[in-house]
Structures are given as C-alpha cells and as structure tokens.
Amino acid sequence: MKKLRLWAWLLWVILSGYVVAWILGIFILGPLTMYFLLTRRVIVRGYWRLVGEALRGKLLILTNHPTVFVETFLLGALLFPWFLVCPWAFVWTMPDKRLLDLWNMPGWMRVMLRCIVVDRRSRVKGGRGLLIAGQIVRARFVVVGNPEQGRTFGEANKNKIPLVRNDREMQVIEQSLLTQLAYETGARILPGYIEVPYAREQVSLQECFARMFGKDNAKHRPVILSFTRKAYRITGPFDLAKENERLQIEIMEA
C-alpha cells in the first residue's frame, strides 16, 4: 500500500507539473529566457553540459546561492524547451519554508511548481525535506540545491567570512547533507557557479527580476552561470567532510 501511494503521488506530480511546464514554458519562461540569452543579459558557460546531464536525469545541480531569482527560477528556465519533452528535466528546487510562507504559496502550488520545502529552523524538519528530495531523485528527476545553507550574503550567513578564490566568493560548506543525498541515491552531481554583480546586496525577488531590464540597470548585468566541470558520482566509502570539501572546490572552479 505504501508503494502504491508513492507511485500515485509521483504520477500526480508528473502530470500536474507537466501541465505547468508547458504553460509556463511556452508563454513565460521560454520567451523570457530566449530574450535574456539573445541580449546577453544572461550568459551560460557549459550550456550543453547542463542540458545533456539534465536530460539523463537523476541529477543534483549544486551551486552557490547569491540570489533567490537566478537559482530558483532562471536556472530551471534555461532547460526550456527540453523539459517539454522530458518531464524529469523540469527541475525541482529546495526553497526555505519561511520564504514560501512569506509569499502565502499554498501546498498544492508548491508541488506543481516543483518545490521541495525545507525548514532550516529545525534539523528534524529539514531532514524531512531531504527524505522527500531522495524520493524525487530516485524517480529520475533533477533537483537544484545550494549547499551554503542560505544565500551567500543573506541573513543565514550574516557576519560569516566567505571563501574567496579567483574573484569568486562562497560560504564554507560545512553542515550540508546534499553530498550524502547524492551518495545514498546514486545521483550524479553537476557543480555550477553563478556570478551576479549585486550578490552582496539584500535584493528582493521582484527587484532581481526588474534589474534584468532597462538601461539604468545595465550595471547589474550580465548574470553568468558556469557549468564547466564534469558531473561526477560519489563512490564509497563516504565521508561527509571530505565530500563537502570536494564539492566546494568543484563549485568554485566550475
């Protein structure tokens, strides 16, 4: 019975999400993404690696976390039109519960928009989010995660000193369990680095989006997403600290 409920849930997730993917993809995400790419507001290094790995499925895309807009919305939009024919490439993200609560987003909408809700205020509740992520990854879907435990310069990492390497900045990966999730599910990890000119500013989702337009906002562009490192799979024996250190290097050099 438990397996039957799981498969019924997965079927509903696939079908409902597929409807959303087509509607958003054709009328919103597709046109916007093409506009951003053609006008060089967004630059993607390693685009075909990103697409190829996503089409294979069972993938964790792990990046730094400078904004809400780019990692939560834009990254998934880059896989248009591929997610129209491969439903597992319509990516899942792992937003904080407090953010979705702030937006008053109902539960059914969170599922349809591919949100794995993570409550970072509690280790137990946060673990439940990882369990759900494990089920989703095992079903071949693609999940986007950010191992910094919050935005690079957001409230969760306030007063922390980031690592700096070749003009790139990122918080130290310490307590993240995303590498363990990859190991336990057998998923591949595709590291990526996102460069946003205003990463140190506390900018709302609406303001991030607004900065993609207008001549006065040219100083805030381009947004650069880099996927120049190959995807890899973790093999045992597993050591969390060692794998987090490896992931840190992969992201910083992506």
Side-chain angles (χ1 to χ4, degrees):
M1 183 61 71
K2 188 176 180 180
K3 280 191 174 182
L4 183 61
R5 285 199 300 268
L6 175 60
W7 283 107
W9 178 78
L10 286 173
L11 180 62
W12 180 77
V13 165
I14 292 171
L15 294 178
S16 62
Y18 213 29
V19 171
V20 173
W22 273 83
I23 294 173
L24 287 180
I26 292 175
F27 296 106
I28 301 176
L29 298 181
L32 274 177
T33 302
M34 292 303 297
Y35 173 70
F36 290 156
L37 291 173
L38 290 174
T39 58
R40 304 286 286 176
R41 283 165 165 78
V42 175
I43 297 172
V44 185
R45 297 169 179 162
Y47 171 78
W48 290 110
R49 173 171 286 120
L50 170 65
V51 171
E53 294 294 344
L55 293 180
R56 289 178 62 188
K58 202 171 186 180
L59 176 73
L60 289 176
I61 302 175
L62 303 183
T63 73
N64 60 315
H65 192 14
T67 72
V68 175
F69 172 68
V70 178
E71 301 90 305
T72 307
F73 297 97
L74 182 59
L75 201 162
L78 291 175
L79 292 172
F80 175 87
W82 313 105
F83 59 64
L84 298 182
V85 293
C86 296
W88 55 85
F90 188 42
V91 303
W92 289 78
T93 58
M94 302 180 71
D96 193 288
K97 183 179 185 297
R98 288 171 292 182
L99 181 64
L100 300 186
D101 289 346
L102 183 65
W103 294 344
N104 295 317
M105 184 182 291
W108 60 268
M109 186 180 292
R110 300 179 187 196
V111 175
M112 293 183 74
L113 292 177
R114 295 290 199 262
C115 296
I116 303 170
V117 182
V118 179
D119 192 338
R120 295 185 174 89
R121 292 169 296 184
S122 166
R123 191 173 183 86
V124 174
K125 293 180 179 179
R128 291 174 186 168
L130 286 174
L131 288 175
I132 295 173
Q135 294 176 340
I136 290 169
V137 171
R138 288 186 178 91
R140 200 184 176 185
F141 288 100
V142 177
V143 174
V144 175
N146 309 112
E148 292 176 280
Q149 303 290 295
R151 277 181 285 175
T152 307
F153 298 102
E155 189 64 30
N157 289 313
K158 188 177 181 180
N159 299 323
K160 291 184 179 180
I161 300 175
L163 290 176
V164 180
R165 179 179 297 176
N166 298 325
D167 295 325
R168 291 182 169 185
E169 296 179 303
M170 181 181 180
Q171 295 294 339
V172 177
I173 301 175
E174 294 178 314
Q175 299 179 358
S176 175
L177 299 177
L178 289 170
T179 51
Q180 183 174 336
L181 174 65
Y183 174 70
E184 292 177 351
T185 60
R188 301 181 322 285
I189 294 175
L190 178 64
Y193 189 86
I194 298 170
E195 299 177 49
V196 180
Y198 51 88
R200 284 182 170 268
E201 299 180 39
Q202 296 300 307
V203 183
S204 68
L205 174 64
Q206 294 84 351
E207 180 62 21
C208 287
F209 182 72
R211 288 183 175 187
M212 299 302 290
F213 303 93
K215 291 183 179 180
D216 293 339
N217 287 320
K219 61 184 178 181
H220 301 305
R221 307 188 294 259
V223 172
I224 303 174
L225 298 94
S226 299
F227 300 96
T228 60
R229 303 282 290 186
K230 293 181 180 179
Y232 68 95
R233 183 177 280 111
I234 298 173
T235 57
F238 179 78
D239 183 296
L240 182 62
K242 180 179 178 181
E243 292 302 334
N244 280 345
E245 183 179 357
R246 177 188 180 184
L247 175 62
Q248 185 106 58
I249 294 171
E250 293 283 348
I251 291 176
M252 293 288 272
E253 296 184 356

